[in-house]
Amino acid sequence: MNTREWLQKLVSFDTTSRNSNLQLIEYVRDALATQGVKAELIHSPAGGKANLFATLPARDGSAQGGIVLSGHTDVVPVDGQPWSSDPFALIEREGRLYGRGSCDMKGFIAASLALVPEFLAMPRARPLHLALSYDEEVGCVGAPVMLDELKLRGAKFDGCVVGEPTSMQVVVAHKGINLFRCRVHGKAAHSSLTPRGSNAIEYAARLICHIRDIADHYREKGPYDEFFDVPFTTMTTNQIQGGIAVNTIPEFCEFAYEFRNLPGMSVQGIQAQVDAYVQGELLPRMRREFADARIDIETGAGAPALEASETAAITQLVRALTDDQGKRKVAYGTEAGLFHKVGIPTVVCGPGSIEQAHKPDEYIEVSQLDACERFLRRVGQSLEQ
């Protein structure tokens, strides 16, 4: 199949993160098998989802070293979005291919799979690897499972390209993403007897405001990196729920917050500011009202920041193949930081614009897929030496 045919097939699988991706993954596995490529599935702990890892060996049969082409198979929901066409049926209009995941990031996966026959025919001195993950969109959950398995086997790689949509430009850094869920446990009471309760919502609000104060400090004082579109660390509270009635002091409130840290900033150091406020000020105040008051903060999924080395061979290669020397850093997270963290030099470069990701009528331009094909072909050719 060519790239467009592959993309049509991949989009037809509803791999919204809440669903299983096994149908897509097994289809890819079977398609690779018909070409003599053995793909391994590395399942989630519960077994309902899987990563796929496949190696196209070097001409001497070697599977060590070489370059990894990495992409995630899950997509964000379409719920409530005003799509002009079926989001899971690829459709072309005026040089654009519309469908959920066409840009983020099944376009890159489609181009990679379409070129497998060419890759196999190349007299490569080094292997090429395909790494497809699950649940990137909900905190980069799947890739660590795959990377842990590969590490156990002692697998070594020279570099990795994560094909997130960058308009085929080189991205050398992105922020880390860190997700937390906070549960505040107070004491219920009738609202006419306010002193007999401990209001979980009000104390949650105090903590939320403190998180905002920390965020404001980073915005006003830095540190800064002007190469980022948002050049400072950010913190936001994005979900909250609590309370059962307007005349009842709430005993429980739950909220979720995140921060996106610049590379080099300590994740533990940022979170320590939240913990210090909880332990030093908020909990003592709550417990003067209710001795058993409790605030639990649970660390969720996330991904480390990426800061690629300009001297790394993969950075220089991708810059040379794209003829792009720009220094780009982005606020959104990717799985590239995970690969980098385990010692695999990694850059981000893929077709489509991040501006189209997650939106209704998501699309990728045909010209971007063509450019991606040319780039990937050159990556394969670079392994012939």
Side-chain angles (χ1 to χ4, degrees), residues 177-237:
I177 180 170
N178 310 273
L179 309 178
F180 298 87
R181 188 162 294 276
C182 179
R183 298 178 178 91
V184 181
H185 301 266
K187 182 181 180 182
H190 193 283
S191 59
S192 65
L193 302 171
T194 296
R196 298 185 184 180
S198 183
N199 193 313
I201 288 179
E202 292 180 352
Y203 283 104
R206 292 178 184 274
L207 181 52
I208 289 168
C209 288
H210 183 71
I211 291 169
R212 175 57 188 263
D213 288 342
I214 299 171
D216 288 345
H217 174 83
Y218 287 130
R219 181 171 188 154
E220 295 166 8
K221 303 294 185 181
Y224 302 108
D225 186 332
E226 298 299 334
F227 285 104
F228 280 92
D229 43 5
V230 179
F232 48 85
T233 292
T234 59
M235 302 180 73
T236 56
T237 299

Side-chain angles (χ1 to χ4, degrees), residues 359-372:
K359 292 183 177 180
D361 288 346
E362 176 184 350
Y363 69 82
I364 190 168
E365 295 179 351
V366 173
S367 60
Q368 281 287 297
L369 288 179
D370 293 341
C372 184

Side-chain angles (χ1 to χ4, degrees), residues 161-183:
V161 178
V162 173
E164 290 279 3
T166 68
S167 299
M168 293 309 301
Q169 296 175 320
V170 183
V171 167
V172 295
H174 64 66
K175 292 182 179 180
I177 180 170
N178 310 273
L179 309 178
F180 298 87
R181 188 162 294 276
C182 179
R183 298 178 178 91

Side-chain angles (χ1 to χ4, degrees), residues 75 83 86 146 165-166 195 202 289 294 319 325 340 349 375:
V75 298
W83 282 75
D86 182 349
M146 174 168 51
T166 68
E202 292 180 352
E289 298 175 347
R294 193 170 86 248
R319 287 201 179 285
Q325 299 303 315
H340 186 76
C349 183
F375 165 71

Side-chain angles (χ1 to χ4, degrees), residues 115-143:
L115 287 177
V116 165
E118 290 188 41
F119 293 146
L120 291 172
M122 293 175 181
R124 287 173 293 101
R126 290 181 290 160
L128 190 65
H129 313 272
L130 302 174
L132 308 185
S133 66
Y134 65 87
D135 281 2
E136 187 270 352
E137 296 288 7
V138 291
C140 297
V141 175

Side-chain angles (χ1 to χ4, degrees), residues 35-159:
Q35 301 174 74
V37 177
K38 182 179 179 180
E40 180 182 4
L41 303 193
I42 303 170
H43 287 83
S44 63
K49 301 182 180 185
N51 302 293
L52 178 147
F53 191 82
T55 295
L56 284 58
R59 59 176 175 260
D60 64 358
S62 172
Q64 291 284 8
I67 294 175
V68 180
L69 303 179
S70 171
H72 64 80
T73 61
D74 63 314
V75 298
V76 298
V78 299
D79 305 14
Q81 292 186 334
W83 282 75
S84 302
S85 56
D86 182 349
F88 299 106
L90 194 71
I91 184 171
E92 181 175 359
R93 296 195 299 268
E94 298 179 347
R96 297 172 175 176
L97 296 170
Y98 291 83
R100 175 55 88 221
S102 57
C103 173
D104 183 20
M105 58 178 297
K106 292 179 177 179
F108 179 80
I109 296 173
S112 301
L113 293 170
L115 287 177
V116 165
E118 290 188 41
F119 293 146
L120 291 172
M122 293 175 181
R124 287 173 293 101
R126 290 181 290 160
L128 190 65
H129 313 272
L130 302 174
L132 308 185
S133 66
Y134 65 87
D135 281 2
E136 187 270 352
E137 296 288 7
V138 291
C140 297
V141 175
V145 176
M146 174 168 51
L147 290 170
D148 286 347
E149 179 64 26
L150 294 173
K151 185 177 180 180
L152 283 174
R153 301 175 188 177
K156 303 292 183 183
F157 309 101
D158 299 323

Side-chain angles (χ1 to χ4, degrees), residues 326-340:
K327 193 165 186 177
R328 294 178 193 84
K329 302 181 179 184
V330 295
Y332 60 83
T334 79
E335 293 172 333
L338 294 165
F339 284 88
H340 186 76

